[in-house]
Amino acid sequence: MATIPSITRRLARREFSSSKDGRLSVGGSVMKIISSTSVESLLTAEEDFLEYLSFLSTVALNALLRAGAVDPGNVKLLQHFNESFHGLWELISASYKTLKQTHEQNLALDTDELYLLQQATDFVQIFKEYFESVSDFMVVKGFDRAAKQASSYWKSNKKLLRQMIKDTTDGPVQVLLQRVFIDPFRNHVQHYTLFLSNLIEDSEAEPLTDVLNTFVELQKHISQILDEASQTKILWSQISNKLTLALCHSERRLQEDSRNVPVTVTNGRYERVLLFNDMLVFLQGHESKSFDLKTVWVDSTVKQKPEPNNYCLRIITPEDEIVLCAREPQCQGLWLWKINQLIRQALNGSRDYPLWGKTGEVTNPPTCRFSTYTFRNDGRFKDATYEGDMSWGKPHGKGTLKWPDGRNHVGDFKFGQEDGFGICLVPNSTQDLYDCYKCHWQTGSMQGYGICEYADESVYKGYFKDNMRHGFGILESMAPDADPFKYTGNWDKDKRSGYGVWESKNKGERYIGMWLKNNRHGPAIILTDSGACYQGTFHSNKMSGTGILLSEDSTMYEGEFTEDRLMAGKGKLTFSNGFTLIGTFNRHASLGLHTQGVLNTTSAHDDETIKRKFQLGSELFPVEERWNGIFEPFLKFLESGCQGETEEFFLGFHVQSSKKLQKSQEYLYCQRDKDEVSGKIEDILKEISVFQKHEDLQQYLEKAFKSSHHPFKKLLKIMLVVYQATYAGVGANLHLLSMAQEEIKYYAKKLLEFCRALIVMAGERNGHRNCILDENEETSDDTYAYTLILPLILPRFHPDLFMLYMLYHEQEDGFYWQGIIRLGHLTDTKLLEFLDVQKQLWPLKDVKLTTNQRYSIVRHKCFHSAIECLQKIITTVDPKEKLEIILKTYTEIERTVSRVVDKDYKLPMDDLLPLLIYVVSRAGIQHLGAEINFIRDLMEPSNRGGIYDFLLTALESCYEHIQKEEIRHYTC
């Protein structure tokens, strides 16, 4: 119940003026002067009622309060009863004082100044609260208990009670006691109504009519709440004490009874149905089953097959469904109407005023509503309390589930099950911590992408299926008291299975290969931070059979191993100098490695180089089979029709760390910069469908790969994650170069495949086909992958990939750099002479000498434009741009020579190579061998055999020439 508002006197001074018809007006509104007879009548009524209130307080109220002091169950009810009584007394006193003051001063009283009209809202509110407090006390048999507790007092004052209500019958004390607090109050409200009716007879003022209607509604309301209280009190006396104790509540009112308006429960489980203002109750003997109306839905469309003439209602709650049947449609309609209106009122938190609403204003409750419910039946939700949106008895929308053991789930629900994005906390059994799952759910289980932060400080980011890690995922543990590790790879039914990469921080070891049920099982490569590399086959975490060991000093062993990766058995050992040892290897605890075999001290340089640069893994792990786990979700997203709401489910939200995880849709589609492209799939399909030129499409893709909201950016990011997990850090090993460069090419092909699929889908939706990526005689998938995709993604992978090229060509680049240093000591003329460049081609006239200089001593003055041009090769990672720089360098050399000889001069190979060697030696490009092979491996296949390939071969010849021993050891 609301707190009784304090009533304060609110009288205002007014300026009066006369109107033409003799009436007074205030601020332009016409008023009616109330006759003195009417004022005296109201004044007398107020005075008499005040005297009654004073007498009633002395005779009855104080006695009730004394009796209630020894009855703990009635203390709060009597406190509210007393507050509403005195609030009403205060309001009537204020009304009386204003009337009396006006009457004693013989002042004319206008209707607008009548306290009853000014405070009409307060009058209605205080009378409502008073009668509600009386009915609450009445329902719990408060008057009956009070009459028994002070029976001698009430017997001695029984006559007085009858006089107070002017009743000559000899009724029970409890009935008289109840009536003295009801009848005079109802009569006083009726007096107000008659008084206002008399005023309206001589006035057409609309405010008076509104106030009169308010008091008429108040009378109706009072009658309704007293009738409800009376019927409810009778019910408590009819049912057993056990049921009364379970159901009786001061604010609970009976609204309908199946004995009055017949309905039956179809399965015969219950014999009686009771509808209260807050719950629906089914009785069977002395047992009851009750349902909070906030979690009740009623469906009138159900048909009962065995008895088609029945009119049925299906009562739906979160855990039960009960069918009510009536013989008459009127009975069905009444129950349906009452249940729905009471549900609506329960959801609103208050009863209608009047109790069943005004005509034409009654509406049915929403089927989707915010509710709270605790599940009791056996099942996944047993003992959990749900708070959130529900529809037809099922969690549906946003909600929270909380279990007594500390588990809770916050997220989206659909038709009674977790469905959509959700966050679930599960207490860890061994620690006072929680496992936190931030995942997508379908039909009650984790499906699609999610993040789990475990109590042991490990974190999983990847895909789930049926509540288990399944598909691609990354598990990383950084716990200081355990061995930190990181696994990046495939999962099957919560276990590491398939291709994956495991790195142990403490051991300094990386395992790249196959897994089965959390065990290393199948072909694999092991890299150590000491530089050693193993390739072999594992069975249940143990190495078995033959394998390969490559040591840091380029020694290579091919043969049998122990389970702990130690050389044991038959094998071949190739030393870094090319010598080979073929025989049997044994390891003793005291003697170390013991060998019996044949040592061959003859070796070929080519064989030595092949062994030193032996490539691992390419044949063991076909590139098409390595990372299907990251491409399959994107493919499923395309196959699902690229529905925006499924994007996170398939592609995840791994753009920020889980600690900063924001709500899914808000994060995906937040405000973006003007240079970014939209991440909404509808916008993507719209934009991508209009491109007609490859340049426009490439510009779009360039922005897409930079936009954190775009699906392509997400896919590219996870590609980079797996790439670095394999080839960065300990994985930066020259023996993995072949795997690394073919993997990047495959990434480009897959991105092209997905781009083409999006274009096709956009065409299907827009009704026209876009042919921008169609294959023809000049272009193929390989062409588009190299020209369209690879230049855009290479900058992300270049640092790690180029490191492998530098390691692979470390020896050759070392020799090359020695030659560069030697040639750098030579003056321009000495170098041109040393390289056998024809003197007629020396660009000496371009050299401007000072007075103290001679041509024989100047350095770095010739072919300056070509040198600067070639130096730009390290400023880009795009193989095509690098080739264009080489071509431009050749053009600059030829242009310089043409200027020297004063005619167009096409350089033959005999002249080109010496001049190109000069330019290369003066350009001083580090790791040139890595650059050349990077270009050759990743350039567009259509360039092979053309001018670009020719010039790249020429540059490679220069590089090899500078490595020659005679140059490295040349002395002036």
Side-chain angles (χ1 to χ4, degrees), residues 67-80:
V70 297
D71 187 356
N74 286 340
V75 172
K76 289 186 178 180
L77 290 176
L78 282 171
Q79 182 181 357
H80 184 259

Side-chain angles (χ1 to χ4, degrees), residues 177-408:
L177 185 59
Q178 180 177 301
R179 288 183 62 190
V180 298
F181 284 98
I182 293 176
D183 292 359
F185 293 82
R186 295 184 69 178
N187 293 338
H188 199 65
V189 173
Q190 185 178 12
H191 183 82
Y192 285 151
T193 306
L194 293 172
F195 173 77
L196 293 171
S197 298
N198 293 331
L199 288 183
I200 290 176
E201 290 180 1
D202 301 324
S203 173
E204 298 176 357
E206 185 176 341
L208 281 177
T209 304
D210 293 341
V211 174
L212 174 61
N213 292 336
T214 300
F215 275 90
V216 171
E217 289 179 353
L218 176 61
Q219 283 186 283
K220 179 180 178 182
H221 182 76
I222 292 171
S223 298
Q224 288 176 332
I225 62 176
L226 292 175
D227 288 343
E228 285 185 355
S230 177
Q231 293 298 320
T232 307
K233 180 182 176 184
I234 293 172
L235 174 68
W236 301 147
S237 63
Q238 292 175 343
I239 61 178
S240 66
N241 290 335
K242 179 181 179 180
L243 290 175
T244 301
L245 186 63
L247 299 176
C248 182
H249 188 276
S250 61
E251 297 181 13
R252 183 164 294 144
R253 302 290 186 270
L254 179 65
Q255 304 296 318
E256 198 52 81
D257 187 340
S258 61
R259 292 185 177 178
N260 299 330
V261 180
V263 290
T264 58
V265 179
T266 55
N267 57 12
R269 282 190 299 167
Y270 305 106
E271 61 186 11
R272 190 175 181 182
V273 186
L274 301 175
L275 176 61
F276 294 94
N277 60 309
D278 63 337
M279 65 170 52
L280 182 62
V281 178
F282 297 87
L283 302 183
Q284 182 64 42
H286 298 299
E287 302 298 328
S288 65
K289 179 79 171 180
S290 59
F291 301 99
D292 186 346
L293 288 180
K294 294 178 181 178
T295 55
V296 170
W297 285 256
V298 57
D299 178 16
S300 62
T301 60
V302 62
K303 297 293 183 182
Q304 196 70 9
K305 293 182 180 180
E307 301 179 59
N309 293 327
N310 279 350
Y311 299 90
C312 299
L313 296 176
R314 185 161 58 108
I315 305 300
I316 301 170
T317 71
E319 296 185 277
D320 293 272
E321 282 195 16
I322 299 173
V323 177
L324 302 180
C325 286
R327 292 292 183 181
E328 302 293 333
Q330 295 85 350
C331 296
Q332 181 211 36
L334 182 60
W335 276 92
L336 175 64
W337 182 79
K338 281 195 172 184
I339 293 174
N340 274 332
Q341 299 316 307
L342 289 169
I343 292 172
R344 177 181 54 78
Q345 293 178 42
L347 292 173
N348 292 338
S350 62
R351 300 292 303 279
D352 286 343
Y353 179 76
L355 287 181
W356 293 105
K358 297 180 180 179
T359 304
E361 295 183 357
V362 176
T363 56
N364 288 330
T367 55
C368 292
R369 64 184 74 149
F370 185 88
S371 302
T372 300
Y373 183 82
T374 300
F375 291 88
R376 301 301 181 195
N377 296 347
D378 290 335
R380 290 195 306 114
F381 294 168
K382 180 176 172 57
D383 298 328
T385 297
Y386 175 80
E387 186 176 272
D389 299 327
M390 297 187 83
S391 177
W392 293 106
K394 305 297 182 184
H396 191 81
K398 304 290 184 182
T400 301
L401 273 172
K402 293 183 179 179
W403 281 265
D405 63 0
R407 282 182 299 158
N408 71 71

Side-chain angles (χ1 to χ4, degrees), residues 358-521:
K358 297 180 180 179
T359 304
E361 295 183 357
V362 176
T363 56
N364 288 330
T367 55
C368 292
R369 64 184 74 149
F370 185 88
S371 302
T372 300
Y373 183 82
T374 300
F375 291 88
R376 301 301 181 195
N377 296 347
D378 290 335
R380 290 195 306 114
F381 294 168
K382 180 176 172 57
D383 298 328
T385 297
Y386 175 80
E387 186 176 272
D389 299 327
M390 297 187 83
S391 177
W392 293 106
K394 305 297 182 184
H396 191 81
K398 304 290 184 182
T400 301
L401 273 172
K402 293 183 179 179
W403 281 265
D405 63 0
R407 282 182 299 158
N408 71 71
H409 179 100
V410 181
D412 298 323
F413 292 79
K414 188 179 292 185
F415 304 121
Q417 299 193 74
E418 304 94 323
D419 201 294
F421 180 74
I423 299 176
C424 182
L425 293 179
V426 179
N428 187 273
S429 58
T430 58
Q431 307 176 51
D432 189 20
L433 298 169
Y434 290 83
D435 294 337
C436 178
Y437 296 88
K438 304 172 183 178
C439 306
H440 286 270
W441 302 67
Q442 270 190 348
T443 59
S445 62
M446 287 183 286
Q447 308 279 357
Y449 186 81
I451 294 175
C452 180
E453 297 167 343
Y454 298 100
D456 63 1
E457 298 186 31
S458 60
V459 178
Y460 174 81
K461 299 180 181 180
Y463 292 88
F464 288 83
K465 182 179 180 181
D466 298 330
N467 287 330
M468 294 181 287
R469 293 168 293 193
H470 191 89
F472 173 78
I474 301 171
L475 178 64
E476 184 170 13
S477 173
M478 300 300 292
D481 56 345
D483 180 18
F485 69 86
K486 182 178 181 180
Y487 174 78
T488 305
N490 198 64
W491 298 76
D492 183 72
K493 296 180 180 179
D494 221 32
K495 298 185 183 298
R496 293 182 290 274
S497 293
Y499 182 77
V501 179
W502 174 283
E503 182 169 1
S504 173
K505 304 293 184 182
N506 290 348
K507 293 181 180 179
E509 182 177 289
R510 181 174 296 176
Y511 174 94
I512 304 171
M514 304 305 293
W515 296 75
L516 181 66
K517 296 182 179 180
N518 279 344
N519 293 318
R520 300 177 180 189
H521 195 91

Side-chain angles (χ1 to χ4, degrees), residues 907-918:
L907 288 170
M909 180 60 71
D910 290 344
D911 290 338
L912 173 61
L913 279 178
L915 291 175
L916 190 56
I917 293 173
Y918 174 89

Side-chain angles (χ1 to χ4, degrees), residues 842-891:
W842 293 12
L844 297 180
K845 65 180 182 180
D846 291 342
V847 180
K848 296 181 180 179
L849 300 175
T850 63
T851 55
N852 297 324
Q853 285 184 328
R854 302 187 307 275
Y855 286 118
S856 61
I857 63 173
V858 295
R859 289 186 177 89
H860 303 281
K861 297 296 183 180
C862 298
F863 298 100
H864 189 67
S865 61
I867 294 169
E868 286 187 341
C869 183
L870 185 60
Q871 287 173 334
K872 293 178 182 178
I873 200 171
I874 64 173
T875 63
T876 179
V877 301
D878 184 354
K880 183 178 180 181
E881 292 181 359
K882 290 178 181 288
L883 288 171
E884 290 173 348
I885 289 172
I886 296 172
L887 177 60
K888 189 174 181 182
T889 301
Y890 165 75
T891 304

Side-chain angles (χ1 to χ4, degrees), residues 755-782:
C755 181
R756 176 179 282 115
L758 282 176
I759 291 175
V760 170
M761 182 173 294
E764 291 174 350
R765 291 194 180 184
N766 297 328
H768 66 274
R769 185 170 177 271
N770 191 324
C771 304
I772 190 171
L773 291 182
D774 284 0
E775 295 185 41
N776 52 50
E777 294 181 357
E778 298 180 358
T779 59
S780 63
D781 269 357
D782 279 352

